Amino acid sequence: MYDIHFATIAIIAANLLVSFKGFNDASFFDRYKFGIAQIQAGQKERMLTSGFLHVDIAHLFFNMFTLYFFANVVISWFGPGKFIGIYFISLVAGSLLALFFHKNEPYYSAVGASGAVTGILYAAILLQPDMDLLLMFIPIPIPAYVLGIGYLLYSIYGMKSRLGNIGHTAHFGGAIGGYLTTLVFMPELFLTETLMVILLAIPIVILFIMEKTGKI
């Protein structure tokens, strides 16, 4: 049986409590969701609180299910304290990137733990790049780093084309937060996993080149 650490339980519980409050209280949801105009007006706490709200149960389940599978990888390497640190840094990094890219869109809003969860996913891939993942409808294992790189490239496409009602920017920012924090916590990865550090950085470099050249 997969053992779930208390730190993971605490984060999932916080997401459940805040999300269900938001499901049943529209004014609470509106007050604490990510909103460009409100954040620029001084409500900076939305950059954190929005990460515990979700649109519906399916959105909440998907994020917590993903967290459940990858949290223990990070905890086994760093312990619960640094795991929680990576989670919150990734959450805020996702909000910061969303604020940067959508700063001229006052009506832009978003909710969800996807940025934080993507940060944990990217940290887990960097720490254990030999992981293989099985996805629905794909019967063969996929190397975790291939999924990670592919997901960020898809996020760039989603940001450029405004694909779906999805916070691609927050996902990407969360991945950057998880990637950089993991390297700060374990700089020896530059030597032991040099190729993986470079490969996982490629989508990040592409994003900022595209932003600088006005292509996104």
Side-chain angles (χ1 to χ4, degrees):
M1 178 165 302
Y2 186 94
D3 293 326
I4 183 168
H5 194 279
F6 177 76
T8 310
I9 294 173
I11 288 176
I12 291 175
N15 274 277
L16 290 172
L17 289 170
V18 177
S19 290
F20 275 95
K21 172 66 174 174
F23 295 157
N24 296 299
D25 186 341
S27 62
F28 177 86
F29 184 92
D30 288 339
R31 172 59 185 84
Y32 292 107
K33 69 182 180 181
F34 182 95
I36 293 293
Q38 294 87 348
I39 291 170
Q40 290 175 336
Q43 295 178 7
K44 307 298 185 187
E45 70 278 1
R46 289 173 181 260
M47 298 178 71
L48 182 65
T49 57
S50 60
F52 291 89
L53 290 166
H54 289 81
V55 173
D56 52 32
I57 290 177
H59 185 207
L60 173 63
F61 174 79
F62 180 78
N63 277 333
M64 297 303 100
F65 189 68
T66 305
L67 179 67
Y68 169 79
F69 274 108
F70 292 99
N72 263 17
V73 174
V74 179
I75 292 171
S76 67
W77 281 82
F78 286 143
K82 289 182 177 179
F83 159 74
I84 292 173
I86 292 172
Y87 184 91
F88 278 95
I89 290 169
S90 299
L91 193 165
V92 173
S95 291
L96 286 170
L97 196 70
L99 183 62
F100 174 75
F101 273 93
H102 301 286
K103 58 183 177 292
N104 296 320
E105 302 170 44
Y107 298 106
Y108 180 89
S109 64
V111 293
S114 301
V117 173
T118 306
I120 294 297
L121 169 64
Y122 227 62
I125 292 171
L126 188 54
L127 291 166
Q128 205 165 299
D130 58 345
M131 285 189 299
D132 285 331
L133 304 176
L134 282 170
L135 302 179
M136 289 185 296
F137 312 118
I138 302 178
I140 58 173
I142 299 174
Y145 71 91
V146 172
L147 175 66
I149 293 169
Y151 183 73
L152 287 198
L153 292 174
Y154 168 75
S155 294
I156 292 174
Y157 172 72
M159 291 164 65
K160 183 174 176 59
S161 62
R162 301 300 178 100
L163 185 66
N165 189 27
I166 300 171
H168 297 287
T169 317
H171 296 183
F172 206 106
I176 294 173
Y179 173 82
L180 294 178
T181 308
T182 299
L183 291 174
V184 169
F185 287 161
M186 189 172 286
E188 57 266 35
L189 288 170
F190 283 107
L191 297 177
T192 60
E193 297 291 348
T194 305
L195 178 60
M196 199 54 53
V197 169
I198 294 171
L199 287 175
L200 292 176
I202 289 173
I204 299 171
V205 173
I206 290 173
L207 175 68
F208 285 100
I209 289 174
M210 290 180 70
E211 190 278 328
K212 286 294 184 183
T213 56
K215 294 182 178 178
I216 192 168

